[in-house]
Amino acid sequence: LIRFFKWQFLLNTLSIKTKFKDSFAIFFSGLSMTLVPGKLGDTIKSYFLHKKYNVNVRLSLPVIFVERLTDVFGLLILCFLGLSSLFLNLTFLLSIAAIFIFGVIILLHERTFYFMVKIFSKIKFIKKYLTNVNLVHESLKKLLSIKNLFITIIMSTLSWGLEAFSFYFLVHALGIDIPFITLVFIYAFSTLVGALFFLPGGLGVTEGGLVSLLVLVGTPLSIATFSTIIIRLTTLWFGIGLGLVAFYYITRKINH
């Protein structure tokens, strides 16, 4: 729900007007595509906005990009908060943060942005998507303002933090006494690494990270495995289920 309100906030920033019920269904329909590598399936939301409200895809795609970008920053913040409880090297997390901050600066710098567009336009299958890029750049500048970044990163941190709290609640229900801040780090770090590998839903990498780190802090392997299965069922797979319902609803509404 928090991520939906972030989506709605970003749409409002670009003056994309929709009915609340439709926007709700379009946002959740994106969850049905979670297993598409790199979260590229989220672009279905741009398709539905175009079909239902004739919103230019190049106007709405930056919203999806900023959603993912702020999710990464939210997870990084949770990782940094959790590091206080673990003896881990900061280099990896600082490197990721630096790369994403540098990426934002490049996107906002007009000359650099168009230089990158010129380079990518030489690739045939990408070239056709790079028309009218000034609309994309203007959208990004609005979405990535200091105020908007602050609001959306806070929302991302809160939403991922609630998932981490669910993980804490689950692990403690299974009788394992691990500090909350430690479990926040384990959940955020495993999710972040899974996302960076561009695998469908982070499958395999995220689960491996959760089990390994739980065992590292003293959790029996059987309980670490069981808690990982349950948290993934109640987050990733629950979300996909919701997404399929929303996808069915919005496609019926568009086709009728």
Side-chain angles (χ1 to χ4, degrees):
L1 286 173
I2 292 170
R3 288 173 198 153
F4 162 69
F5 285 113
K6 180 176 74 169
W7 157 262
Q8 195 63 40
F9 172 79
L10 292 170
L11 290 183
N12 291 338
T13 299
L14 297 181
S15 300
I16 298 175
K17 303 299 181 186
T18 63
K19 290 182 180 178
F20 186 85
K21 187 193 295 187
D22 290 341
S23 181
F24 192 84
I26 289 170
F27 170 78
F28 277 96
S29 70
L31 295 176
S32 68
M33 301 291 176
T34 301
L35 295 184
V36 176
K39 295 287 283 183
L40 294 176
D42 262 4
T43 53
I44 193 71
K45 296 187 288 191
S46 285
Y47 169 78
F48 285 139
L49 283 173
H50 176 69
K51 293 292 287 185
K52 182 66 179 173
Y53 291 97
N54 200 32
V55 176
N56 192 317
V57 171
R58 289 170 182 78
L59 179 64
S60 60
L61 278 178
V63 171
I64 295 165
F65 171 78
V66 172
E67 277 189 291
R68 299 288 72 79
L69 180 71
T70 52
D71 278 346
V72 170
F73 279 124
L75 287 167
L76 280 169
I77 289 170
L78 292 174
C79 285
F80 283 119
L81 289 174
L83 273 175
S84 59
S85 65
L86 295 169
F87 298 98
L88 291 173
N89 195 324
L90 275 172
T91 305
F92 178 69
L93 290 177
L94 287 173
S95 299
I96 296 172
I99 289 169
F100 277 88
I101 291 170
F102 182 66
V104 170
I105 293 170
I106 288 176
L107 288 170
L108 293 177
H109 189 270
E110 192 167 342
R111 293 177 72 177
T112 308
F113 177 80
Y114 283 105
F115 175 73
M116 290 177 63
V117 168
K118 187 176 180 180
I119 292 174
F120 281 107
S121 64
K122 294 177 181 179
I123 304 173
K124 284 186 178 180
F125 77 94
I126 293 179
K127 185 177 181 179
K128 61 181 179 180
Y129 298 106
L130 294 179
T131 57
N132 201 20
V133 290
N134 59 315
L135 180 60
V136 174
H137 190 248
E138 288 303 314
S139 298
L140 284 172
K141 284 201 292 187
K142 290 178 182 178
L143 296 172
L144 295 175
S145 69
I146 297 298
K147 174 189 170 184
N148 290 339
L149 266 179
F150 177 78
I151 292 171
T152 50
I153 288 174
I154 290 297
M155 295 175 86
S156 295
T157 305
L158 181 58
S159 66
W160 286 108
L162 286 172
E163 283 198 22
F165 177 75
S166 299
F167 188 53
Y168 167 80
F169 179 80
L170 171 63
V171 171
H172 275 249
L174 292 170
I176 304 300
D177 187 21
I178 299 174
F180 173 67
I181 199 69
T182 302
L183 286 172
V184 166
F185 174 82
I186 289 173
Y187 189 80
F189 183 78
S190 299
T191 303
L192 180 63
V193 172
L196 292 177
F197 271 81
F198 287 94
L199 291 170
L203 286 175
V205 178
T206 298
E207 288 83 358
L210 289 170
V211 172
S212 300
L213 290 174
L214 282 172
V215 170
L216 185 66
V217 294
T219 308
L221 178 60
S222 58
I223 294 179
T225 304
F226 182 69
S227 59
T228 295
I229 292 170
I230 297 300
I231 196 64
R232 293 293 270 172
L233 283 173
T234 53
T235 53
L236 173 68
W237 294 102
F238 175 68
I240 291 172
L242 285 178
L244 290 172
V245 173
F247 184 90
Y248 175 76
Y249 169 83
I250 196 64
T251 49
R252 279 182 58 86
K253 194 162 186 182
I254 287 173
N255 294 328
H256 291 82

